[in-house]
Amino acid sequence: MTNTTIADEIKSQHRGGWFLGISLILHIIVLGGVWHFDFLGITKLDTEPQQEQPQREIAIKKLKEEKAAQQKQKLPQEHAEKLVKEEEQRAAREMIQKVKMLEEQNQQLEEVRELKLEEVRDVPREAVMDRIKDKAKELEDRTRQIAKQLPTDKLKELQSKANAVHNAAKRLKPEEDPKSKESDEKLQKALDEFEALSDEMTKEKELQWAEKKFAQELNKKVEEIQEMAKGLEDPMQRPNVAQAQQMLEQTPPQTQQTDPSELQQMTPDELYDKAKALEEKADQTFTDIKAAELALMQNTTLDQAKENISHTPPDRPQMGQELAKQKSELQTREDLNKFRDQLDKTAKEVDAMEVATADKVKQAQGMAQMSKAMAGNKQSPQQQYRARAMMQKFSSGRQANVDMSQLMRQMSMPLSMSMSQSGVGKGIGEHRKTDGGTGGYDDPDDVAPTNIKGINIPSGKVMAQALPGQKFSKDSARHGWLYLDTWYIIGPWENHGKLDHREIFPPELSIDFDAKYQGKNNPRGKDKGKPMELRWQFTQSGRIQVVPPNEMSNSVYYAYTEIHFEQNTDMLLAVASDDSSKLWINDIVVWDDKTHSDWRIGEGSRKVFFKKGYNRLLLRLENRGSETEFSVLICPPTFK
Amino acid sequence: MRFKLENDEDEEISMGPLIDCVFLLLIFFLVATMLKKDDYDIDINPPVSESAVKLPPRDDVLVIGIDVEGHFYWQGKATTLNQMHDRLRDVAEAQPDRSIRLDVDQQTPFHRVVEVMNVCQFRGLKDVGIRTYDKHYNRR
């Protein structure tokens, strides 16, 4: 071999490499081309699947059979264990994150619960007086009814005593008044006299059975007033103070963040059970918060508020057990696939738990915002109570036109924002200064809702010109009245013909579009007598009035929607319903009409405040007759 | 006859072809990986349209699926209505120009489609399209 030969050989080796390279490139191009065209379907026969050649179908069938046989093959134990572990680790990674979030959410809810219960505990004498006044009026009304029904001397005497109780209750004075002690004693005296007479009536042999029964019924009401009157003398005797104190003392241990290494060691079924327990705990805490909020807003006792809440605890399947069972029985590839599906379902369920709890946290924080704003403004419990009572009074449907924008602005925004923006006029949303521009409202009287005059909603014109809308901007081409046409609606629940909005149904506790609830009983069909399964339904109305799906008599429906504003804005709002309705904007009640009335576009109007961004609207609709509908319209207050 | 051989030190096997091959393989896998598109398809029979515009598959398109029973899917995975609302709100805040593709079955309740389209419109997501039947793509 010569030198030249060796050099040539080296060169040829080099060339060989290039040949190999070029050939590889060519192969890649050809294969890539085939793959690409195959992807686009060009290399396949351009025929519909059902017209393809039978050979192909036979081949597919054979392949499927082979695959099915493979699925049934037993997996080697070691291999199966390894695969199961890998799958579990994958699912656990997602679930650990959600469990951590659920723990955080529980802590947030617990903070709000404490805040709300403390508020209930600190409720002032003024609130107790109002409760006594309401109850005394109720007593007087009932005695009048009874005396009409059965006009006997004894019952007439009882009526005059009830009248005395009501008058004494009306004369109750706030704490700071020196005459308050005197009026307390008068009430006590009137109550004692009523009680003595009713006791005497129940024992007297000569009296009719009906008279005795009525006396007993009325005595029960007096006992309730007596119980509340005790709270006038001693705050510790007030039912709410005692119960809130008890609930605060019996608070379950605060949720602690589990150590990450501990969570890492947990199996998916253990993680699922933990998430389930956390969701249940969060739900319980949220129910307490809602009861406290209701007690504060409606000025009732905590017990009564709890009774009125129709609460449905979260119903989650026993997936942890199912998962553990599938794992222990896992043998074939098919079992592995089933196990994998079950793991995915479990992770999804934990995800849903987190989403549902996050919604509760959002609502609870909304409720806490007002408390924090008031506490931040150093308002006394009396002032806080007055602010709530004002909202309650002015949201009532008996008040036709009310400006609630100032108070809503304060309640809707964080304290710092409300302070920095107070007194800063912004076009439509301009509002008055309260303390010389330094910001902050010291007293609810400064921002109290006021009756507004001169609002006229021309029915014919609005009906003809109103447009649908969900998003509003200053520069929008649409002016004038806009109606909300897109809603999620759920119902019906039973209201037994009462339009008092007293019983609270789940949508008032939290908005969960995926939830299923039990509604009123089916009046007909194969499921007659069984409760209806209720779900949120998307509804878009082609006209101003919105009719809920599945209209029924004596029913309660809820409608939920969101609207968007480009900036903080005050708007006129017109609510109308057949029969009664209650409307919340960002969890603040702005309209509460309990009357049995037909739909009329200008039934009532409010000047309300909408914050920048998304605003939540929840409407409760109740009816007696079989037909029901509602409408919500908004319009800039400057529009003529 | 004796030949004097020159220094053999230079006569090593050339690494050039090997490097060429490695590079070619690298490029091959690189290209193959890049071409692989994520598959977010769900088991549906999409509606037929003669006038639909054919668009190349894109990875940045958000795929929302609704099956025959009205169940929702987010990027091919089952999701709940609550989650879909939350995710769409997040998308609208982070990427308001994001393209959305609706994969719906011919038999899907139409109010479900309107519901999703309404949410998208309300949240300001305007680039929403509906996938239609493509005889090449759907035959796979």
Side-chain angles (χ1 to χ4, degrees):
Chain A
M1 193 182 278
T2 62
N3 287 348
T4 326
T5 324
I6 290 163
D8 285 348
E9 198 175 318
I10 290 165
K11 273 180 194 167
S12 92
Q13 272 179 9
H14 197 73
R15 271 201 301 277
W18 277 110
F19 284 138
L20 186 67
I22 289 160
S23 115
L24 256 170
I25 291 171
L26 284 170
H27 272 89
I28 289 159
I29 291 168
V30 171
L31 279 171
V34 169
W35 178 80
H36 186 65
F37 288 121
D38 179 54
F39 173 72
L40 292 176
I42 288 167
T43 53
K44 289 184 183 170
L45 284 172
D46 198 4
T47 49
E48 294 299 321
Q50 61 267 31
Q51 291 167 342
E52 283 182 13
Q53 294 160 353
Q55 286 93 328
R56 185 175 152 83
E57 280 171 21
I58 293 162
I60 290 169
K61 203 178 162 190
K62 207 177 165 188
L63 265 171
K64 276 184 183 168
E65 280 168 4
E66 275 172 22
K67 213 173 172 185
Q70 268 181 7
Q71 292 286 317
K72 294 228 160 46
Q73 265 176 18
K74 215 171 169 183
L75 284 164
Q77 201 183 348
E78 263 181 43
H79 187 53
E81 278 171 12
K82 198 182 154 199
L83 286 170
V84 165
K85 207 173 174 185
E86 274 174 18
E87 289 297 331
E88 280 191 332
Q89 279 172 348
R90 178 186 61 82
R93 268 196 296 275
E94 285 174 34
M95 286 161 79
I96 286 170
Q97 285 300 320
K98 299 293 168 190
V99 168
K100 279 183 188 168
M101 284 162 94
L102 276 164
E103 283 174 340
E104 274 172 33
Q105 287 163 346
N106 263 283
Q107 287 171 345
Q108 287 165 333
L109 285 170
E110 280 155 13
E111 273 175 36
V112 179
R113 179 183 184 269
E114 200 180 325
L115 183 83
K116 281 281 155 195
L117 285 175
E118 276 171 4
E119 263 186 273
V120 173
R121 192 188 53 188
D122 297 339
V123 87
R125 180 187 148 92
E126 224 173 324
V128 184
M129 276 166 20
D130 279 355
R131 255 180 255 155
I132 292 173
K133 283 174 192 169
D134 286 348
K135 207 77 196 169
K137 187 164 185 315
E138 211 180 285
L139 175 80
E140 199 197 6
D141 290 347
R142 185 70 187 128
T143 45
R144 192 172 290 139
Q145 273 177 12
I146 292 167
K148 261 190 201 170
Q149 216 177 310
L150 201 69
T152 65
D153 291 345
K154 279 280 179 191
L155 282 170
K156 276 184 182 167
E157 203 182 330
L158 215 50
Q159 193 198 328
S160 71
K161 295 260 181 253
N163 198 19
V165 172
H166 186 211
N167 284 335
K170 277 201 284 192
R171 281 196 293 269
L172 286 172
K173 297 277 186 302
E175 238 160 348
E176 56 270 21
D177 192 325
K179 289 180 188 166
S180 63
K181 274 256 183 260
E182 201 184 305
S183 57
D184 289 3
E185 280 160 14
K186 274 186 184 163
L187 174 76
Q188 198 55 54
K189 200 181 155 204
L191 284 167
D192 288 345
E193 279 178 12
F194 190 99
E195 206 176 13
L197 181 63
S198 61
D199 280 347
E200 190 192 309
M201 281 171 77
T202 50
K203 282 170 197 161
E204 217 170 298
K205 284 183 183 172
E206 286 172 18
L207 280 181
Q208 293 178 33
W209 177 82
E211 279 177 284
K212 283 185 185 180
K213 200 186 89 183
F214 286 137
Q216 266 175 353
E217 181 202 326
L218 296 168
N219 205 9
K220 218 174 172 184
K221 285 191 189 292
V222 171
E223 276 170 18
E224 284 173 28
I225 303 174
Q226 293 269 33
E227 191 65 32
M228 284 191 270
K230 279 183 203 163
L232 290 176
E233 296 159 17
D234 177 11
M236 286 315 289
Q237 294 275 337
R238 292 175 195 164
N240 269 0
V241 175
Q243 210 199 332
Q245 188 64 35
Q246 192 190 1
M247 281 170 81
L248 279 166
E249 280 163 12
Q250 290 173 356
T251 305
Q254 206 196 355
T255 312
Q256 300 292 333
Q257 285 282 350
T258 315
D259 189 42
S261 60
E262 202 182 312
L263 283 176
Q264 296 284 354
Q265 282 167 5
M266 288 170 96
T267 57
D269 54 303
E270 287 169 339
L271 283 166
Y272 177 81
D273 290 341
K274 189 171 176 65
K276 200 165 163 246
L278 281 166
E279 193 200 20
E280 276 162 17
K281 194 179 176 197
D283 182 70
Q284 192 52 52
T285 316
F286 184 71
T287 313
D288 286 352
I289 295 169
K290 198 75 198 182
E293 176 76 4
L294 273 177
L296 286 165
M297 290 305 289
Q298 296 180 347
N299 192 22
T300 55
T301 60
L302 267 172
D303 284 334
Q304 212 175 331
K306 272 188 173 177
E307 257 175 48
N308 289 339
I309 293 174
S310 160
H311 176 241
T312 318
D315 181 24
R316 302 281 175 197
Q318 295 290 343
M319 283 184 153
Q321 285 176 9
E322 181 62 32
L323 210 57
K325 191 182 154 210
Q326 285 196 6
K327 190 180 163 184
S328 65
E329 289 169 1
L330 195 143
Q331 282 184 331
T332 63
R333 204 171 284 276
E334 198 177 9
D335 293 342
L336 182 72
N337 284 340
K338 276 185 192 162
F339 179 68
R340 196 178 285 145
D341 287 347
Q342 188 65 24
L343 270 174
D344 286 342
K345 273 187 202 161
T346 312
K348 201 180 128 197
E349 203 68 28
V350 173
D351 202 14
M353 288 180 200
E354 190 273 320
V355 172
T357 313
D359 189 56
K360 289 188 176 109
V361 172
K362 207 159 72 183
Q363 283 196 46
Q365 284 174 338
M367 286 181 228
Q369 209 156 324
M370 183 184 173
S371 315
K372 279 181 183 164
M374 286 170 169
N377 275 348
K378 295 190 177 58
Q379 284 188 329
S380 64
Q382 280 86 354
Q383 284 172 321
Q384 293 183 26
Y385 168 71
R386 214 157 348 124
R388 286 201 187 88
M390 253 186 262
M391 285 303 288
Q392 189 71 13
K393 183 185 164 198
F394 283 94
S395 62
S396 162
R398 276 175 286 183
Q399 311 274 344
N401 306 313
V402 182
D403 179 0
M404 307 178 97
S405 56
Q406 305 296 333
L407 194 55
M408 281 180 80
R409 185 182 292 270
Q410 192 184 12
M411 287 160 79
S412 298
M413 287 196 287
L415 182 66
S416 55
M417 273 178 77
S418 118
M419 283 172 78
S420 65
Q421 292 194 5
S422 64
V424 182
K426 285 196 169 187
I428 294 167
E430 188 169 357
H431 64 287
R432 66 191 163 143
K433 286 184 182 184
T434 56
D435 56 356
T438 53
Y441 296 109
D442 289 330
D443 198 297
D445 291 333
D446 287 346
V447 288
T450 48
N451 281 311
I452 37 177
K453 286 177 186 165
I455 295 183
N456 179 29
I457 303 168
S459 172
K461 196 178 160 191
V462 174
M463 288 292 276
Q465 295 178 355
L467 294 165
Q470 262 189 305
K471 290 179 95 172
F472 305 92
S473 70
K474 210 174 150 188
D475 310 318
S476 169
R478 293 171 301 175
H479 295 286
W481 287 96
L482 299 164
Y483 65 90
L484 306 185
D485 65 331
T486 307
W487 297 83
Y488 276 97
I489 302 181
I490 193 167
W493 277 277
E494 181 64 58
N495 74 356
H496 305 285
K498 288 181 189 166
L499 305 174
D500 56 4
H501 302 174
R502 200 168 277 273
E503 196 172 349
I504 308 297
F505 295 100
E508 281 184 50
L509 295 174
S510 73
I511 302 294
D512 180 359
F513 293 133
D514 299 308
K516 280 185 282 183
Y517 304 110
Q518 289 197 338
K520 71 187 290 174
N521 290 342
N522 265 304
R524 60 187 81 85
K526 62 179 170 65
D527 292 327
K528 190 180 171 183
K530 285 182 188 166
M532 300 165 84
E533 190 184 274
L534 307 181
R535 279 175 172 276
W536 286 97
Q537 289 185 51
F538 177 78
T539 310
Q540 237 171 1
S541 172
R543 57 192 189 124
I544 292 175
Q545 297 100 309
V546 184
V547 179
N550 209 355
E551 269 182 297
M552 286 172 117
S553 58
N554 298 335
S555 301
V556 180
Y557 299 86
Y558 286 90
Y560 175 85
T561 194
E562 284 185 22
I563 52 177
H564 184 270
F565 283 87
E566 272 191 357
Q567 57 186 22
N568 291 333
T569 316
D570 285 353
M571 295 289 263
L572 282 181
L573 175 97
V575 193
S577 59
D578 173 0
D579 294 309
S580 75
S581 57
K582 185 174 181 178
L583 179 74
W584 292 259
I585 297 180
N586 296 323
D587 300 323
I588 299 169
V589 183
V590 295
W591 169 259
D592 190 6
D593 167 40
K594 293 171 187 164
T595 53
H596 182 215
S597 58
D598 287 341
W599 180 88
R600 187 168 52 84
I601 198 164
E603 201 170 326
S605 65
R606 299 281 180 269
K607 189 176 169 190
V608 292
F609 167 75
F610 287 104
K611 64 179 169 57
K612 181 184 172 184
Y614 296 105
N615 291 265
R616 286 169 284 124
L617 275 84
L618 176 69
L619 184 129
R620 175 182 175 139
L621 177 70
E622 291 205 29
N623 75 322
R624 278 192 190 149
S626 58
E627 286 176 3
T628 184
E629 59 188 0
F630 71 92
S631 66
V632 180
L633 290 107
I634 54 173
C635 173
T638 49
F639 181 75
K640 299 284 176 200
Chain B
M1 198 172 173
R2 287 170 69 92
F3 293 100
K4 191 186 173 190
L5 288 171
E6 285 187 12
N7 195 359
D8 279 354
E9 280 174 16
D10 294 337
E11 294 170 14
E12 290 172 355
I13 298 168
S14 169
M15 294 296 284
L18 186 67
I19 293 163
D20 290 344
C21 286
V22 169
F23 268 106
L24 282 166
L25 282 170
L26 186 73
I27 291 162
F28 173 75
F29 284 114
L30 212 72
V31 172
T33 320
M34 278 167 70
L35 281 171
K36 190 176 175 293
K37 298 281 172 211
D38 287 328
D39 191 357
Y40 299 131
D41 293 352
I42 57 167
D43 189 16
I44 50 154
N45 188 13
V48 182
S49 167
E50 293 301 325
S51 58
V53 182
K54 203 167 191 170
L55 295 169
R58 277 163 55 193
D59 265 351
D60 61 335
V61 174
L62 177 65
V63 183
I64 297 174
I66 315 171
D67 67 13
V68 186
E69 282 161 0
H71 297 133
F72 294 103
Y73 295 82
W74 185 271
Q75 298 284 56
K77 283 186 181 172
T79 190
T80 63
L81 188 55
N82 283 334
Q83 284 173 331
M84 199 192 63
H85 273 273
D86 288 349
R87 284 168 167 173
L88 279 173
R89 190 180 50 215
D90 294 345
V91 169
E93 276 169 21
Q95 304 157 282
D97 299 326
R98 180 121 185 229
S99 301
I100 293 174
R101 192 185 86 199
L102 280 182
D103 284 9
V104 292
D105 194 278
Q106 288 177 10
Q107 305 296 321
T108 298
F110 191 62
H111 68 89
R112 282 300 204 195
V113 183
V114 177
E115 191 176 343
V116 176
M117 292 186 81
N118 182 73
V119 178
C120 292
Q121 192 253 344
F122 177 56
R123 303 280 176 204
L125 297 159
K126 289 171 188 151
D127 189 1
V128 183
I130 295 180
R131 185 183 137 201
T132 53
Y133 181 82
D134 179 275
K135 62 182 176 184
H136 298 303
Y137 182 80
N138 287 95
R139 208 176 46 191
R140 288 191 306 144

